[in-house]
Amino acid sequence: KYLRTNVGFYFFLARAPPQKQHFPHLLRRNCGNINTRTGSSLNKHPITPLRSGIRLVAIDLDGTLLDSRKELPIGAIELFTSARRAGLLISIITGRNACSVFNLAKTLHLSGPHASSGGSMIFGNGGRPIYFRSSLSGEDTRQVVAISRRWNLTIFIQSASRILMENGDHFLSYLTRDFNPCPPQPCKDILAELNFKPLKFTLYGDHQALSNARKEFEECHGCFHLTTAGEGDIEITPSEIGRAHV
C-alpha cells in the first residue's frame, strides 16, 4: 500500500520466471548490460534505468535475490551498488520476518522501504520508521494453532524480530544459514511462549494434512488471509493482508 500510493515511481516486482533465473539476471536484462559474475564490467557497462523506465525495484528473497543455497549470487553487491548509483530505489518484499531483511539490506546498501511477513509490516531501513503493521488477534492465533495441532503440522509464528516454532526440530539446520539471521526458537507449547502479536504463520506438513487443515481454515470466512509459497506449506496473515496489498 505504501509502495503503491506514497512513492511516485514505476513499480517493478522481479520474481523468478520458469527458467529459474534469479534477480541479478533480470536486473541486467531490464536495466543494462552487466556481467553479474565479476565486477570487472560494471564500469564499462553501467546500468541505464531510463532505457526501461524502471525507478523502483521490489525484490523477493528466496528463489529471486537468493539462490537455491540461500546465498547471494557472485557479483550481487557490485551490481546493486551500480544500480543505486544509477538512481534506482531498491526494496525487499518477502514472506520472511523483518529480522531477515535487515542484514541483507545493510549488506547491499538498499534504500527501502521494505515489506516483510507477507506484507504485514512495511518499514524503513533498520526497521524505522514503520509505515504499516498488522497482526493477528489472540482469538485468531489460538484458532490457527488448534487446527494446526489437530493435523500435526509444524508451526512457525513470526514477529518482526522473533520466530517461534512447534513440532519442527528437523527444520533447524536449514533455517540457521547466513541470511536466516533469526533462528526459530523451538517450543513445546507455542502459545505458552507467545508474548507478541503474530504477523504471520507458516505451517508445514504432509499433503493430506495440509489439505485437511486448509479446509478448516477456509471455513473461517475472512478471519485471516490464506496463501502458500508452495505445495508443502500454508501461510496465514491478517485478513486485510495479501500479496496485492504491497
Side-chain angles (χ1 to χ4, degrees), residues 96-107:
R96 297 194 195 187
N97 70 344
C99 177
S100 296
V101 175
F102 296 155
N103 192 27
L104 270 172
K106 182 178 180 179
T107 298

Side-chain angles (χ1 to χ4, degrees), residues 159-189:
S159 73
S161 59
R162 296 180 64 198
I163 303 173
L164 301 182
M165 178 187 69
E166 182 179 293
N167 188 32
D169 290 348
H170 52 290
F171 281 97
L172 284 176
S173 61
Y174 177 76
L175 292 169
T176 53
R177 300 183 183 184
D178 287 348
F179 293 110
N180 279 294
C182 303
Q185 174 188 337
C187 306
K188 291 185 177 180
D189 182 348

Side-chain angles (χ1 to χ4, degrees), residues 8 13 22 65 69 94 117 126 140 176 181 183 186 222 227:
L13 178 59
H22 293 287
L65 177 58
R69 296 171 296 179
T94 181
S117 299
D140 288 344
T176 53
T227 185

